[in-house]
Amino acid sequence: QITLAHVIASPNKGIYLKLGLDDSVSDALGIMTITPAEGVIIAADIATKSGAVEIGFLDRFGGSLLLLGDVASVESALKSVIHYFDEVLHYDSVGMTHT
């Protein structure tokens, strides 16, 4: 199941630094958590093929995925992942949220 799909637009630069990322990388962060955890590998593939996003972090054991890009690209990538997991893999999922 997808348990979290969230977009952070214009995050505080301190968040990037705490995550070990360059603070000039992107305008938005996309965060997803997926169970079983191996699903993040599929999600990362779909997300990076759907638009101009980069993987900031992928945890294939914990099921976490962090995407970087502009707001529209991150939103599009999360929507593509949610759609695929809903329609093809028949996962339970949540709606995308924003801050």
Side-chain angles (χ1 to χ4, degrees):
Q1 72 183 17
I2 297 175
T3 55
L4 176 71
H6 187 81
V7 177
I8 300 174
S10 303
N12 181 291
K13 299 298 181 188
I15 293 173
Y16 289 99
L17 298 174
K18 293 293 184 183
L19 292 171
L21 301 169
D22 182 359
D23 67 356
S24 63
V25 172
S26 68
D27 297 326
L29 299 173
I31 306 164
M32 297 192 89
T33 54
I34 299 173
T35 304
E38 296 83 4
V40 298
I41 300 166
I42 298 167
D45 179 58
I46 293 165
T48 55
K49 289 178 178 174
S50 71
V53 294
E54 295 182 32
I55 299 170
F57 178 75
L58 184 154
D59 180 0
R60 65 187 175 103
F61 300 109
S64 300
L65 177 64
L66 177 69
L67 301 171
L68 310 168
D70 62 79
V71 175
S73 295
V74 170
E75 287 179 349
S76 176
L78 291 182
K79 285 179 187 176
S80 294
V81 171
I82 292 168
H83 176 77
Y84 185 86
F85 275 68
D86 280 346
E87 299 299 319
V88 177
L89 298 177
H90 305 291
Y91 273 44
D92 289 330
S93 66
V94 295
M96 183 172 42
T97 56
H98 299 78
T99 55

